[in-house]
Amino acid sequence: MPFEIYNTLSSKKEEFKSIEPNKVGMYVCGPTVYDYDHVGHARTYLSFDLLNRFLRFLDYQVKYIQNITDVGHLANDAEVGTDKIQQKAQDSGQSVKQVIEHYTEAHLKDMEALNIIMPDNFPKASEHIADIIEFIKGLTEKNMAYVTSQNNVYFSVSKDMDYGKLSHRNLAEIITGTRVDSAADKRSPADFALWKSSPVTVSDYTWESPWGRGYPGWHIECSAMSRKYLGDTFDIHGSAIEHVFPHHENEIAQSESLTGVEMAHYWVHSGMLTTHGQKMSKSFHNQVTVQDALKTYTNNELRLAFYQTHYRKPFDYTKESLEQGVSLRHKLFSGNDLLPEKTDQQVWQGIIDALNDDLDTSKALQLWGENAKLVSREDTGKLFEIFGLVYKPITENEKASELAKDRDAARASQDFLTADNRKAELIQMGYEVLDTPNGTVYVPR
Ligand SMILES: [Zn+2]
């Protein structure tokens, strides 16, 4: 069966067809760099890493762009709040630049620690101000945007007949749902900022523009940068489900009003992450950072836990759900020296068909876990690559192998002190030690 993916735009699964043969352009909204990534971010980036890896498995060359938002993301959707990064700088006594550099570096480190294939480019909003200004000028010339007496520029939502097509809402619903404290100089509460004036130089992150000194709105950054790196129309635009509205709806409005063509063919959104049923959020004090999660679980375990739930469904981050990742890792990592020469074709086809069906990792992993010993070493390697697992053959270390044998011998002769010592040495070498019917098994962590 061909690869099908769920498209938020059409609300259904569609066969994936790239614009150019064997090439895919993919844009995923990156972080606003004012804090550490938490496991909710990890889930989003791991969902798109899987999509990237599966497309590569299908022989597509993927050009992957993930932006860095370093200006313009306000704390309040109605665009009257403070800039999240500026706020962090004020609260922590650092400069805006220090905050941006620190959290950008932390984000890249987390991506690496999660074994995510690095995007081809991480464009920063602050380094694309000229492109953004050009974009906004184009929209004002087309009369799709207006400048107010306060030198703010807003997109005029009522002029865009398609507005609401991604989130499947109509304008009346959107206006009713808009917060009452929206900026006073907007013509309609549904309009959104393209450029915010900032006459007082509060930081280095303001720029001269045809409308005076200021900074760009959050949504326009993605429209300008995706266009610059992937063109007017590209294949896949993705992010977490909470960005469907307003962020992605606004990106579509800006881009398609300017270019007159479809911005992206497939809009892909990963489901939300909760913990014990509650949204993970700063205000609930229940955030787990990626760095903290990786102190308890390995990259392999996090991936295998997340991927046991379909990427569009909510994932509940609990000890129980994470331990399912640990237990699946045990199944997939042990006994790899006993893999057959040839793969059972029915099992293989079942796994690949599941992935072709809108990346049904839940089904694919279940099939693989139950039939791991029917998949050849070579094909097991392919699955490790698709799922981004780091596979280290457990027989590769001679010293570890000696220690395990020693431990088994000591246990057989009831010398539990020596057995415990050998186990401690293995743990110190970075292995997790499991007792199996076949004796000691040590798994790289
Ligand atoms: Zn975006």
Side-chain angles (χ1 to χ4, degrees), residues 388-408:
L389 304 170
V390 182
Y391 175 51
K392 292 172 197 149
I394 43 185
T395 46
E396 86 185 355
N397 189 308
E398 264 180 53
K399 185 173 178 221
S401 162
E402 285 299 312
L403 287 170
K405 270 187 215 149
D406 234 32
R407 177 165 186 262
D408 287 340

Side-chain angles (χ1 to χ4, degrees), residues 71-72 74 81 83 194-198 205-207 213-217:
V71 62
L74 304 187
D83 182 300
L194 302 175
W195 188 263
K196 295 284 282 181
S197 82
S198 177
Y205 283 76
T206 58
W207 294 265
R213 201 163 182 88
Y215 58 91

Side-chain angles (χ1 to χ4, degrees), residues 220-254:
I220 194 72
E221 302 171 2
C222 286
S223 281
M225 292 190 283
S226 63
R227 185 179 187 218
K228 175 159 185 167
Y229 292 96
L230 297 172
D232 287 353
T233 303
F234 52 93
D235 297 293
I236 299 172
H237 192 317
S239 190
I241 188 88
E242 67 255 33
H243 288 333
V244 172
F245 188 88
H247 186 53
H248 288 168
E249 194 69 66
N250 293 352
E251 284 188 34
I252 291 185
Q254 298 160 156

